[in-house]
Amino acid sequence: MSLSLKDSSYESLSLDIGEVLFTKGENASFLYILEFGHVGIFNVSSNKRIIPMFSKLDSGVIGEDCVLQEEPVYNYYAVALKPSKLIKIPASEVHMYLSSSADWLENILFELSGRIKNTASLLVKHNIYDDRLNNSSEFLSEELAVLRLAIKD
């Protein structure tokens, strides 16, 4: 199997504004490579406050920390804030490549993803928002409206 993202075996995914890439608690079956667009990554506190985690604009990896957990579930929501195109990398392939690498590499990545999960849950549990924690990813009011609509039950 090829490690190249140009490999035609990887599925491409297009999202319109407001489309949900994944929701919190969903099985983390894929990690996503953003080719272009804007995807907001956030959590929702118990009082329904949107807590920005980070956003990806025109490039980046989304969901990698969730795929690498012992129990792979997404720990946050991911919603398109602009039309976006992503490449889906199956979690099974990520694990296959990691299992063929040095044990310490896989251990480090699992440890880091666990720390990210713990930090994210503490932020939500205590309703913490701090610009320094999310690379100034505060969402604009129109982006917040898109996010709220996307997660409405």
Side-chain angles (χ1 to χ4, degrees), residues 118-130:
N118 290 340
T119 302
S121 26
L122 282 173
L123 292 173
V124 173
K125 181 179 179 182
H126 297 291
N127 205 15
I128 297 170
Y129 173 80
D130 188 321

Side-chain angles (χ1 to χ4, degrees), residues 6-114:
K6 305 267 187 249
D7 187 329
S8 61
S9 69
Y10 294 122
E11 186 181 338
S12 191
L13 175 69
S14 295
L15 297 176
D16 287 325
I17 295 172
E19 279 193 83
V20 176
L21 179 60
F22 55 77
T23 61
K24 183 176 182 173
E26 192 178 308
N27 245 4
S29 304
F30 298 93
L31 69 79
Y32 299 88
I33 310 289
L34 181 62
E35 290 192 295
F36 66 82
H38 188 191
V39 177
I41 312 299
F42 63 99
N43 254 311
V44 180
S45 70
S46 57
N47 65 356
K48 304 291 185 207
R49 179 176 178 205
I50 290 181
I51 300 174
M53 304 302 287
F54 57 94
S55 69
K56 295 291 182 180
L57 182 60
D58 292 327
S59 69
V61 182
I62 302 169
E64 75 285 358
D65 55 317
C66 304
V67 164
L68 293 172
Q69 293 178 55
E70 197 171 307
E71 294 178 30
V73 295
Y74 295 115
N75 302 313
Y76 40 76
Y77 299 86
V79 174
L81 296 172
K82 284 180 21 181
S84 302
K85 184 176 178 189
L86 304 104
I87 297 172
K88 293 170 68 171
I89 310 292
S92 58
E93 279 197 36
V94 173
H95 291 284
M96 180 185 71
Y97 286 117
L98 281 175
S99 67
S100 66
S101 66
D103 288 347
W104 59 264
L105 177 61
E106 187 174 20
N107 291 338
I108 289 171
L109 292 173
F110 276 93
E111 179 70 26
L112 289 172
S113 67

